[in-house]
Amino acid sequence: MRSSLSTVLTGGLIIQGVTASWLLPEARNFIYIVPDGYGQASQTMARDYVSLLQNGENPRAPVSIQLAADRMVIGNVRTQASDNLITDSAAAATAFGCGVKTYNNAIAVDDDGSPVGSILEAAKLKGFKTGLVVTSTINHATPACYAAHVKDRNSYEKIAEHEIGYSHPLGPVVDILMGGGRCYFKPQSDPTSCRSDDIDLFGFAKEKGYRVLQDRVGFDGLNKGLSKTGDLPYIGLFNDDQMMYEIDRSRQPEQEPSLLEMVETALNSLDRATKWSLKGYFLMIEASRIDHAGHANDPAAHLHDTIMYNDVMGFVRDWIDKHPDTLMMSAADHECGGLTLNGFNPIPLKDVSMSIEQVGRLWDAYNGTDRRAYLIETILPGYGLTGLSNAEIDMVLENDNVGGDLTRLLSSKAGVNWSTGGHTASDVTLYGYGNGWRGGNLKSDMAGNHDNSELPAYIEGVLKVKLSDATRELKRHGIDWVGKRDVTSPDHIHSH
């Protein structure tokens, strides 16, 4: 049945200027995928790289192909924050997770600092199972906006508390949490902790019935979510910091699971948990480190995490074909790096075997006596820069800025250009998929240009949940529990 909406109500707030005639196909499950920091040029670079590798590596005779995401384009999305034309991940995720425009740095609070309910919380209140699967720290801005409410994104300890339910007024609202950020869940007495207090969030999680996983062996024990060891709830954090870039992880797969492996496991667990239920699940997936590579202007890391995003999109499409009561939408929070591809030939990137982050770790750890030889014999080959002139090598050694110099040299070699180390105001692509008539309705409903704050209203309609219910329940507990704002914290130009 077609319903006409002249305004969209989200979280009790009216989004002006929205006129929609939505078919709103009902589905039991919804998957939302965020390729953080990804823009149209990111997809072009990945597509052309894969195409050239498959078709002779001759950029003068290119063959056009499509990656998984290319087959699911619906429209595009506007991204500005309430206080800036250029959004950060926190304001963006509050918009597409809660339906509310807010200031940069805000985590699921409005401009006044009052909590606003997320689509995940709204789904949980109605009996849906929920999950967050990311490659950043789990308490980074995007996942935080689905299960935490703080006035400043840098309140990492408080965000971790909210996400596991320790100080969240609704208790635990996420059934699966996977990503990095392990150190924020350990008391300060643990030598690997990065907390400033004695709160043991892993211990709290166990008391609440969560299975706690902290390494690859623990993840493998989930058996892809297909056996009782993969029963809900569980939290798997596989790095104290961000998870590894895919270019690094793929060479050390025994260290951490890939985003694709985590997604497959989470979907199997959620499917098993809801198989006999009238209510399904809501899952947010984030390919987080595309953004970090954009900040670093690292073309190889950006490329390989973008390819992994496409692998996940292809897997989810196949999953939906086998589980047709599921819908998916995907859009970035913002573009990062101002990536352009003039003079472009990505083939030199195939010689790169490590991210600039890994380069930095190796360079900082070197304690030998011949840094020039180490640069020539280990660092430059690993970063695809063999054959530099003596003058270029001298420049790198004299500048003592290996990260900045090597990313600039590699980008120049591949014809990859960056205009910034921060975010840009560019619109981002909206993708979506559903099987059969549901997919047709999704495309019909969401074709065109949308503000990012409009997106969760559509998920509301599909799952038959209300953001306003979640907001009302949160505010019933007052606002003293909301994390405070630090006015000295950085704005949207942040390191991650």
Side-chain angles (χ1 to χ4, degrees):
M1 178 179 176
R2 183 180 294 268
S3 59
S4 296
L5 305 178
S6 58
T7 58
V8 178
L9 297 177
T10 57
L13 301 180
I14 298 177
I15 300 173
Q16 301 291 346
V18 177
T19 302
S21 183
W22 282 349
L23 297 169
L24 287 173
E26 186 172 357
R28 290 179 68 250
N29 315 307
F30 209 104
I31 301 167
Y32 192 82
I33 307 177
V34 182
D36 195 315
Y38 157 105
Q40 291 184 1
S42 308
Q43 184 70 8
T44 301
M45 180 164 68
R47 182 197 308 121
D48 288 351
Y49 176 82
V50 172
S51 176
L52 285 168
L53 291 187
Q54 293 177 353
N55 294 287
E57 301 187 11
N58 183 1
R60 296 192 177 276
V63 177
S64 179
I65 67 169
Q66 286 185 316
L67 299 183
D70 293 318
R71 302 183 181 99
M72 293 178 270
V73 176
I74 293 179
N76 56 16
V77 178
R78 307 187 300 276
T79 65
Q80 71 276 3
S82 69
D83 65 342
N84 202 306
L85 289 170
I86 302 174
T87 190
D88 77 338
S89 296
T94 301
F96 61 69
C98 308
V100 173
K101 284 290 187 183
T102 193
Y103 58 89
N104 282 332
N105 284 340
I107 298 292
V109 297
D110 62 20
D111 278 331
D112 296 324
S114 294
V116 290
S118 74
I119 193 67
L120 181 147
E121 291 166 330
K124 186 66 174 179
L125 286 174
K126 289 295 186 180
F128 288 80
K129 298 300 182 182
T130 60
L132 297 172
V133 176
V134 304
T135 51
S136 65
T137 59
I138 195 66
N139 52 349
H140 217 255
T142 302
C145 287
Y146 286 89
H149 304 269
V150 300
K151 297 178 183 179
D152 190 282
R153 61 177 292 164
N154 296 302
S155 303
Y156 293 117
E157 295 180 21
K158 181 61 69 174
I159 291 169
E161 294 172 32
H162 283 195
E163 287 180 324
I164 201 63
Y166 178 84
S167 56
H168 193 297
L170 305 184
V173 295
V174 192
D175 297 298
I176 297 175
L177 300 103
M178 285 197 283
R182 190 171 49 204
C183 65
Y184 290 99
F185 289 74
K186 303 175 183 180
Q188 63 178 343
S189 57
D190 187 311
T192 62
S193 171
C194 48
R195 293 192 67 87
S196 60
D197 55 36
D198 295 316
I199 296 174
D200 180 1
L201 294 180
F202 278 144
F204 173 81
K206 290 177 182 178
E207 291 174 3
K208 292 297 182 179
Y210 282 78
R211 183 182 178 93
V212 174
L213 319 163
Q214 299 188 54
D215 53 30
R216 175 80 208 213
V217 173
F219 174 80
D220 290 342
L222 293 173
N223 191 30
K224 297 186 177 182
L226 295 171
S227 64
K228 189 169 180 57
T229 57
D231 286 354
L232 306 181
Y234 56 83
I235 176 171
L237 304 182
F238 309 111
N239 196 310
D240 284 331
D241 198 359
Q242 321 294 339
M243 294 187 71
M244 299 163 72
Y245 282 113
E246 181 58 22
I247 192 173
D248 300 324
R249 190 215 65 83
S250 63
R251 289 164 172 80
Q252 304 174 69
E254 73 283 357
Q255 294 296 313
E256 296 176 2
S258 69
L259 180 60
L260 180 58
E261 290 174 302
M262 293 191 292
V263 168
E264 179 182 13
T265 298
L267 284 172
N268 283 329
S269 291
L270 290 166
D271 182 58
R272 288 177 55 249
T274 59
K275 207 169 193 66
W276 308 111
S277 171
L278 293 175
K279 303 293 186 181
Y281 56 81
F282 173 81
L283 174 64
M284 193 285 294
I285 301 163
E286 185 186 38
S288 317
R289 304 226 64 194
I290 298 171
D291 177 66
H292 302 171
H295 282 292
N297 289 177
D298 183 347
H302 193 82
L303 166 69
H304 287 282
D305 272 72
T306 299
I307 292 172
M308 173 55 68
Y309 163 64
N310 276 272
D311 289 344
V312 169
M313 289 286 279
F315 178 85
V316 169
R317 177 174 179 147
D318 291 343
W319 173 273
I320 291 173
D321 285 339
K322 297 172 185 175
H323 304 81
D325 54 354
T326 307
L327 289 176
M328 180 273 289
M329 285 199 305
S330 175
D333 44 1
H334 50 72
E335 194 273 346
C336 182
L339 177 63
T340 58
L341 304 173
N342 42 320
F344 178 51
N345 173 15
I347 288 300
L349 300 180
K350 78 171 189 173
D351 297 326
V352 182
S353 60
M354 65 178 78
S355 68
I356 201 65
E357 182 175 86
Q358 177 65 5
V359 166
R361 279 193 287 262
L362 293 175
W363 189 247
D364 291 344
Y366 179 71
N367 58 6
T369 58
D370 192 345
R371 295 186 79 83
R372 185 183 186 89
Y374 186 66
L375 178 68
I376 294 171
E377 296 169 7
T378 300
I379 298 297
L380 295 182
Y383 203 58
L385 287 171
T386 53
L388 288 189
S389 68
N390 285 330
E392 288 171 321
I393 292 169
D394 290 341
M395 178 269 295
V396 171
L397 291 169
E398 290 169 7
N399 286 350
D400 196 26
N401 180 21
V402 169
D405 286 336
L406 296 193
T407 54
R408 179 179 54 79
L409 288 165
L410 180 63
S411 294
S412 177
K413 187 176 182 180
V416 174
N417 299 275
W418 309 89
S419 67
T420 178
H423 302 165
T424 68
S426 302
D427 286 2
V428 295
T429 305
L430 175 64
Y431 302 97
Y433 187 72
N435 179 271
W437 65 269
R438 287 186 176 90
N441 286 2
L442 172 63
K443 291 179 181 178
S444 176
D445 289 342
M446 297 305 292
N449 179 269
H450 302 273
D451 188 85
N452 55 5
S453 59
E454 296 169 28
L455 302 180
Y458 191 75
I459 305 174
E460 274 186 300
V462 169
L463 296 182
K464 303 295 186 287
V465 302
K466 291 185 177 181
L467 287 162
S468 57
D469 288 347
T471 299
R472 187 180 307 111
E473 187 63 20
L474 291 169
K475 290 183 175 179
R476 193 172 66 82
H477 296 267
I479 61 171
D480 290 343
W481 55 274
V482 175
K484 310 305 180 190
R485 188 174 188 182
D486 179 3
V487 296
T488 65
S489 67
D491 64 9
H492 69 278
I493 306 299
H494 54 91
S495 61
H496 292 306

